[in-house]
Amino acid sequence: MSRRITWADAPCPIARAADVLGEPWTLLILRNATAGTTRFEDFRSQLGIADNVLTTRLAKLVDRGLLTRLPYRDGGRTRHEYRLTQAGSDALPVLHALGAWGDAHTSAEKSAGPMSLIHTRCGRPTRPGAKCDSCGKPLARDDLAWRSSWLGPDEIPLAEPVNAAEDR
């Protein structure tokens, strides 16, 4: 599904952000990349997305600088992993806001419960911000994890961004 217009040069920053993040599947791909998914096959199986759609979305996320493509060897074949760049990592507050909004304003027939942000240093739930709600310590990305039953039984550490300029 292609949009007929672009907001890439719109004066409004929300419109420009929607131009990058607003296509179907894009936010779910970023969610999974933030949770550590890097390989095409894993995105496909986790999301149930068609190959052609996934290929197009990954290419756009690379073109827009949210993901970078890194080669790896699989047997005798070169394949690529997709890693978050700083721009992709900076979408984390958007994902948190959408998760909180979804918890508060939507429901599912088979709800898995809310998605929690965990401060791994104290092991307690917190909200995005500068300090942990529970222990008051400063929050750094590498001290955060997600917890939700639909993601699996364990806390999922947030993937660290790579420096896209160094990897090209």
Side-chain angles (χ1 to χ4, degrees), residues 50-84:
D51 286 2
N52 62 326
V53 175
L54 180 56
T55 298
T56 300
R57 293 304 182 276
L58 288 171
K60 285 185 180 182
L61 287 167
V62 169
D63 288 345
R64 293 297 189 106
L66 279 77
L67 296 176
T68 190
R69 242 171 57 129
L70 301 172
Y72 72 94
R73 296 293 290 171
D74 183 18
R77 195 172 167 189
T78 299
R79 294 179 177 252
H80 292 91
E81 289 186 332
Y82 297 87
R83 300 284 179 107
L84 287 172

Side-chain angles (χ1 to χ4, degrees), residues 32-53:
N32 286 32
T34 298
T37 303
T38 60
R39 297 191 174 180
F40 185 94
E41 298 79 17
D42 295 333
F43 283 111
R44 181 179 58 206
S45 67
Q46 292 168 5
L47 296 172
I49 185 173
D51 286 2
N52 62 326
V53 175

Side-chain angles (χ1 to χ4, degrees), residues 22-37:
E23 291 185 314
W25 297 106
T26 296
L27 289 168
L28 298 179
I29 292 168
L30 282 175
R31 176 201 65 195
N32 286 32
T34 298
T37 303

Side-chain angles (χ1 to χ4, degrees), residues 68-147:
T68 190
R69 242 171 57 129
L70 301 172
Y72 72 94
R73 296 293 290 171
D74 183 18
R77 195 172 167 189
T78 299
R79 294 179 177 252
H80 292 91
E81 289 186 332
Y82 297 87
R83 300 284 179 107
L84 287 172
T85 62
Q86 189 61 54
S89 176
D90 287 347
L92 184 61
V94 174
L95 297 174
H96 287 157
L98 284 170
W101 188 91
D103 282 339
H105 300 289
T106 65
S107 61
E109 190 173 310
K110 294 181 180 180
S111 178
M115 185 171 165
S116 300
L117 184 64
I118 305 298
H119 182 214
T120 56
R121 290 194 181 239
C122 72
R124 306 283 315 251
T126 189
R127 290 173 295 170
K131 294 183 178 183
C132 177
D133 294 337
S134 298
C135 70
K137 301 278 186 202
L139 291 176
R141 183 184 181 90
D142 58 351
D143 296 333
L144 296 173
W146 282 339
R147 182 187 299 149

